[in-house]
Amino acid sequence: MTKQQKKKIEKYSDISSTHPVLCPDGKYRWVYDVPMLKNTSILLEVFWVLGISFGVVWLFVLLLGGCKSNFRWVELWDITRGFLILMAVFIVLGCVAYFFVSWYYNFKYSILFIMDENEVVHKQLPSTVGKARAIGKLTAIAGAASGRIGMAGMGILIANRTSLSCSYSSVRRIIPSRRQNLIKVRERFYRNMVFVPDEDFDFVYQYLCDHCPNAKKG
């Protein structure tokens, strides 16, 4: 590929159309602004990850307790109750944090989607990237200062990752959610979120279904 061709493609990576547009490089591109308070799909995705994490830790603690010879069933409820209280606290804190993050983004999360024959890419737009990196760096600093390696690592990941791509050959499931203008594209370890305007929803969904041979639909 020549330098002139690369510059031409980079030009189209800044496309501002809200509808999928087929660019000269053979890729569809469009921009979608997610209203963060009206569309709660991002928040629900965070809660899903949080729930899985709590479930794994709860099961691990339960198995450790079950290994004791004098384990009593009443202890099961004590352990579960503690986790439920802790989860409720995290849900409240998560909602508050989500509101402030939404406010920081002006209640709008802007994404550039790039879709071709091999993959779909979810890419933060430059204005969003700057804010995400700032939040990530603050998280990393807070984690390092408190000695929490996990939080520091998460902050570094947020600060450096600005896009997520899904290779069609690795996609296991495609789930449409027309009400939220969302198509969930799931791999084994990654969950991509493709937002599409109402008018183009059927086209993008069918395109993804046709190009993901190993995926379950719906």
Side-chain angles (χ1 to χ4, degrees):
M1 183 181 292
T2 65
K3 290 183 179 180
Q4 186 175 5
Q5 286 174 318
K6 286 183 178 180
K7 287 182 180 179
K8 191 174 183 180
I9 291 173
E10 288 172 359
K11 174 185 176 183
Y12 283 95
S13 69
D14 295 328
I15 196 168
S16 58
S17 174
T18 56
H19 301 282
V21 174
L22 183 59
C23 300
D25 62 339
K27 298 182 180 183
Y28 287 94
R29 289 181 173 86
W30 71 96
V31 172
Y32 192 93
D33 293 328
V34 182
M36 296 181 70
L37 294 186
K38 184 178 179 181
N39 190 326
T40 58
S41 53
I42 296 176
L43 178 62
L44 293 177
E45 194 72 10
V46 172
F47 283 157
W48 183 88
V49 174
L50 186 64
I52 292 294
S53 302
F54 267 92
V56 170
V57 176
W58 171 78
L59 184 60
F60 179 72
V61 173
L62 195 63
L63 290 174
L64 286 180
C67 291
K68 297 190 301 182
S69 58
N70 60 342
F71 180 78
R72 296 176 302 168
W73 284 106
V74 68
E75 295 180 40
L76 172 63
W77 168 243
D78 291 336
I79 294 172
T80 304
R81 182 177 57 183
F83 270 92
L84 289 175
I85 293 173
L86 192 60
M87 183 178 288
V89 171
F90 269 85
I91 288 175
V92 173
L93 291 176
C95 289
V96 173
Y98 182 80
F99 175 81
F100 280 106
V101 170
S102 301
W103 171 77
Y104 188 62
Y105 284 144
N106 294 320
F107 302 102
K108 179 180 67 176
Y109 181 66
S110 300
I111 317 164
L112 168 65
F113 291 100
I114 305 171
M115 184 176 70
D116 62 14
E117 296 289 326
N118 302 305
E119 64 178 4
V120 59
V121 179
H122 169 138
K123 187 177 182 181
Q124 297 177 24
L125 288 178
S127 59
T128 311
V129 170
K131 294 177 180 179
R133 283 179 174 166
I135 292 174
K137 287 177 181 177
L138 288 174
T139 305
I141 292 170
S146 63
R148 296 176 63 182
I149 303 299
M151 182 184 288
M154 181 179 67
I156 293 170
L157 180 63
I158 293 171
N160 289 282
R161 187 162 195 173
T162 60
S163 65
L164 178 64
S165 61
C166 272
S167 175
Y168 296 146
S169 59
S170 302
V171 175
R172 297 299 185 90
R173 192 171 182 185
I174 302 173
I175 305 174
S177 179
R178 190 180 298 272
R179 189 181 63 176
Q180 296 179 318
N181 295 101
L182 171 64
I183 302 173
K184 300 177 183 179
V185 183
R186 296 182 178 177
E187 295 180 89
R188 184 184 294 273
F189 299 111
Y190 294 102
R191 297 160 63 92
N192 207 338
M193 306 175 77
V194 180
F195 291 93
V196 191
D198 288 329
E199 312 90 284
D200 308 294
F201 192 92
D202 291 330
F203 165 71
V204 174
Y205 176 64
Q206 191 59 51
Y207 186 97
L208 292 172
C209 289
D210 292 341
H211 288 78
C212 297
N214 303 317
K216 294 181 180 179
K217 284 74 177 180

